[in-house]
Amino acid sequence: MNKFFDPTRANWRTLQKIASYSYDCGYCNRHVSSNVGYKLGELSDGGGIVLGGLYICPNCQGPTFLSPKHKQYPSPSLGNPVNHVPGNLTALYNEARRCSSQSCYTGAVLLCRKMLMNIAVEQGAKEGLSFLKYVAYLSEQGFIPPNGKHWVDHIRKKGNEATHEISIMEEIDARELLAFTEMLLKFIYEFPNMVTV
């Protein structure tokens, strides 16, 4: 739930019927189709083609703005929820996902880097180690899949670039790092808890 908008308390008034638009809601992450909201405008020929507008999600009542260039705000979060993850790691992971929905890709990348350190500590590494030692710990303890070491190195490089250079991360950077972080969380937490021994 967005901290600035509580869709459960929405009471939109004088909504209009507008051209139907299908999208993934940035609040509830459901794929929906809406024809209710406020249109931004029409083409000058009066043909009724909507240039954009504010669409109301039929599932959660969250408002989604569609710009004239078809950019959606908020966009859906990258990544997927992961089960059986400790609360502090879930909070960090969800924060990275929320950053991606607001086009804050540098923030998402930095949080994915931080996730590696926090996962290592959650799995028994001492606090206060260098980032490289946390990565080595995860690898030595078998928490990184055999073909995943280059991904950890990718997170390290992108995280360093975002931290130490005047560099803005792009959506593809956040998408890649969130995908690997999701996989790592599933590998360490979700998959082992899916089967009872």
Side-chain angles (χ1 to χ4, degrees):
M1 183 180 307
N2 186 303
K3 72 177 187 175
F4 300 111
F5 175 75
D6 182 357
T8 62
R9 301 187 62 165
N11 191 11
W12 297 98
R13 303 207 187 274
T14 62
L15 295 172
Q16 305 169 0
K17 291 280 187 185
I18 56 179
S20 184
Y21 178 66
S22 294
Y23 61 99
D24 293 326
C25 178
Y27 297 101
C28 65
N29 286 319
R30 293 240 181 118
H31 186 73
V32 297
S33 184
S34 177
N35 67 346
V36 176
Y38 304 95
K39 63 183 172 182
L40 185 60
E42 297 178 340
L43 292 177
S44 58
D45 66 3
I49 299 173
V50 175
L51 290 175
L54 184 75
Y55 285 84
I56 305 302
C57 174
N59 180 60
C60 74
Q61 302 300 300
T64 296
F65 178 70
L66 180 66
S67 78
K69 294 184 179 181
H70 291 276
K71 182 75 176 156
Q72 178 184 325
Y73 302 96
S75 60
S77 298
L78 298 176
N80 299 292
V82 182
N83 297 318
H84 307 291
V85 178
N88 62 328
L89 293 177
T90 296
L92 273 178
Y93 177 62
N94 287 338
E95 186 175 341
R97 293 184 66 219
R98 281 192 308 276
C99 282
S100 74
S101 80
Q102 302 299 317
S103 302
C104 300
Y105 304 123
T106 303
V109 166
L110 290 169
L111 285 163
C112 287
R113 182 182 189 274
K114 182 173 175 56
M115 286 285 302
L116 291 179
M117 295 168 37
N118 286 49
I119 291 169
V121 170
E122 185 69 36
Q123 293 301 319
K126 294 178 182 177
E127 290 187 37
L129 300 178
S130 70
F131 182 76
L132 286 175
K133 288 187 179 177
Y134 284 128
V135 169
Y137 180 86
L138 289 172
S139 181
E140 290 162 6
Q141 298 299 315
F143 293 114
I144 297 173
N147 293 328
K149 291 181 182 179
H150 70 282
W151 272 103
V152 173
D153 196 48
H154 185 58
I155 289 177
R156 180 186 63 77
K157 286 178 183 174
K158 282 293 176 185
N160 285 345
E161 187 180 329
T163 302
H164 303 295
E165 297 177 23
I166 307 301
S167 179
I168 302 295
M169 297 292 107
E170 302 291 330
E171 180 179 354
I172 187 67
D173 301 316
R175 183 178 300 280
E176 288 175 353
L177 271 60
L178 276 163
F180 178 77
T181 302
E182 177 184 333
M183 185 279 310
L184 193 60
L185 291 172
K186 286 185 176 188
F187 182 75
I188 295 172
Y189 298 103
E190 185 171 274
F191 293 153
N193 285 290
M194 290 175 69
V195 178
T196 53
V197 181

